[in-house]
Amino acid sequence: MKNFTSINDVNNVQDLLQKALEIKQNPFGYKSFGENKTLGLIFLNPSLRTRLSSQKAGQNLGMNVMVMNMGQEGWQLELEDGSIMDSGAQEHIKDAAAVISQYCDIIGVRSFATLKDREFDYKEEFFNKFIGGANVPLISLESATLHPLQSFADLITIEEQKKVKRPKVVLTWAPHPKALPQAVANSFAQWMSKADVDLTITHPVGYELSEEFTNGVEISHNHDEALKNADFVYAKNWSSYSNYGLVSNDNSDWQITKEKMSLTNNGKFMHCLPIRRNVVASDEVLDSPNSLILEQANNRTFAAQTILLEMLRNEK
Ligand code: SN0
């Protein structure tokens, strides 16, 4: 695996899933693979789970790990080739990526969507420019349009928790006070489309995701109807794709409550976190035995460790 920026970098999703489950049983079984190797984790945006689980994943493999909060502590990066850098940005992304590559054997990068320039975001300009300047494998820690490590952890969680061979999984839009990226939802749709599940996406009119990720997926604007008989309810807010970055009205009736969950097949509740309690979902749902939020967060370590091991194996 050269880079990991989407599910398209994975040869066989089932094999990867089985590997993750094996690693979870024996997290220190591959400790020699990362000996004298360095993992660099570069954050342009805030993080809790991604930062700590990726660090732990690297350590479980025997790697040295360096973390930099570039958004706050680094130079502002210029992306334009040939630009005269006489204002704003102090360093070109190609210089930064090449330098970090000299210190690291694998680089993880987080850079969220701007939510202002759809073309820039959906072309993944930041990631592509960084990869262009880097000389070592790159792992996405959430890009403008995707969050593959999160979706891989979600797939592991569903595999562990499912009671039927092909569960009904519902990805539901949820209310939120701020405009958020579509990355988690896009990525979840992409991974679930390749998993042994029946996926339904439900959202208010105006919150359609890019068809690039939802092609062939059942989509419903009827929240209650979509939730019926769900085995898994995955809640996430995202801002509008068509009216890019906008949040038009509050739709507070889309909050996942105990009443909404009662429509499901004793369904399990999922969210990637961080979650705004009693806005996206109620305390009752989040603290119920059917909530999988901690299991998902725990599986972030094993998702990251599986991808890191694939990359380290390539080098051997
Ligand atoms: C990010 C997102 O893409 O939605 C990261 C999720 C893993 N979430 C947020 O930025 C939440 C911020 C907020 O205001 O609640």
Side-chain angles (χ1 to χ4, degrees):
M1 193 179 285
K2 175 77 183 86
N3 297 309
F4 180 70
T5 59
S6 85
I7 197 169
N8 298 326
D9 293 315
V10 178
N11 274 337
N12 185 321
V13 177
Q14 272 307 317
D15 287 355
L16 198 75
L17 177 57
Q18 292 312 316
K19 190 84 222 168
L21 294 169
E22 184 216 309
I23 287 173
K24 189 170 179 177
Q25 292 307 312
N26 185 20
F28 307 112
Y30 298 92
K31 194 121 198 182
S32 64
F33 279 72
E35 201 184 359
N36 297 328
K37 301 283 181 189
T38 300
L39 171 64
L41 301 172
I42 308 293
F43 289 91
L44 279 297
N45 313 93
S47 171
L48 188 156
R49 278 148 293 278
T50 301
R51 174 177 168 150
L52 295 180
S53 65
S54 303
Q55 191 161 357
K56 189 172 156 94
Q59 286 168 354
N60 285 353
L61 290 166
M63 300 182 84
N64 299 309
V65 189
M66 302 194 296
V67 185
M68 182 165 182
N69 295 320
M70 192 105 125
Q72 277 159 26
E73 294 153 21
W75 304 113
Q76 200 185 320
L77 298 180
E78 172 63 48
L79 266 61
E80 206 67 48
D81 271 327
S83 78
I84 297 166
M85 290 170 55
D86 59 358
S87 63
Q90 300 105 344
E91 176 154 32
H92 202 281
I93 192 167
K94 66 181 177 188
D95 297 324
V99 168
I100 297 166
S101 299
Q102 291 180 313
Y103 307 145
C104 301
D105 300 279
I106 298 174
I107 308 173
V109 178
R110 162 166 287 189
S111 178
F112 285 175
T114 64
L115 294 183
K116 290 189 174 73
D117 183 342
R118 186 168 94 175
E119 198 182 324
F120 175 88
D121 287 344
Y122 273 73
K123 274 190 177 161
E124 292 288 7
E125 290 276 3
F126 185 94
F127 262 64
N128 288 332
K129 292 259 159 78
F130 198 101
I131 288 171
N135 307 303
V136 299
L138 184 130
I139 297 183
S140 167
L141 306 176
E142 186 171 339
S143 69
T145 69
L146 294 170
H147 194 358
L149 280 180
Q150 179 65 52
S151 311
F152 183 21
D154 298 335
L155 176 67
I156 298 169
T157 310
I158 289 172
E159 179 69 19
E160 288 175 328
Q161 299 284 338
K162 70 180 188 186
K163 295 196 187 91
V164 291
K165 190 177 175 303
R166 201 174 163 84
K168 177 177 176 181
V169 176
V170 178
L171 168 62
T172 173
W173 183 94
H176 200 282
K178 250 185 63 188
L180 296 187
Q182 296 100 30
V184 170
N186 286 340
S187 205
F188 187 73
Q190 209 179 31
W191 282 71
M192 286 302 118
S193 297
K194 291 209 178 172
D196 200 8
V197 306
D198 283 320
L199 177 66
T200 299
I201 302 180
T202 180
H203 55 72
V205 173
Y207 289 100
E208 291 71 24
L209 294 165
S210 164
E211 280 177 20
E212 181 187 344
F213 305 111
T214 60
N215 215 349
V217 176
E218 187 169 324
I219 294 167
S220 166
H221 297 136
N222 186 332
H223 201 207
D224 289 358
E225 196 58 43
L227 291 171
K228 264 185 203 155
N229 294 321
D231 297 299
F232 294 90
V233 175
Y234 197 103
K236 182 71 185 84
N237 169 268
W238 60 87
S239 59
S240 176
Y241 172 76
S242 52
N243 212 339
Y244 197 59
L246 281 195
V247 183
S248 46
N249 45 27
D250 80 347
N251 291 297
S252 55
D253 52 331
W254 281 70
Q255 180 182 145
I256 299 296
T257 58
K258 204 174 136 199
E259 291 68 39
K260 292 277 181 185
M261 288 305 288
S262 71
L263 299 167
T264 69
N265 181 27
N266 192 24
K268 304 279 190 188
F269 176 84
M270 299 178 76
H271 189 279
C272 62
L273 305 184
I275 190 161
R276 306 264 190 148
R277 282 175 171 258
N278 304 308
V279 177
V280 171
S282 67
D283 279 339
E284 264 183 334
V285 171
L286 289 165
D287 300 330
S288 88
N290 278 15
S291 170
L292 297 179
I293 55 175
L294 296 182
E295 283 80 357
Q296 288 171 265
N298 190 34
N299 282 330
R300 291 295 309 273
T301 300
F302 309 109
Q305 206 174 323
T306 308
I307 299 301
L308 285 170
L309 182 60
E310 285 279 306
M311 289 179 168
L312 291 168
R313 274 204 162 124
N314 280 356
E315 286 189 4
K316 284 219 161 188

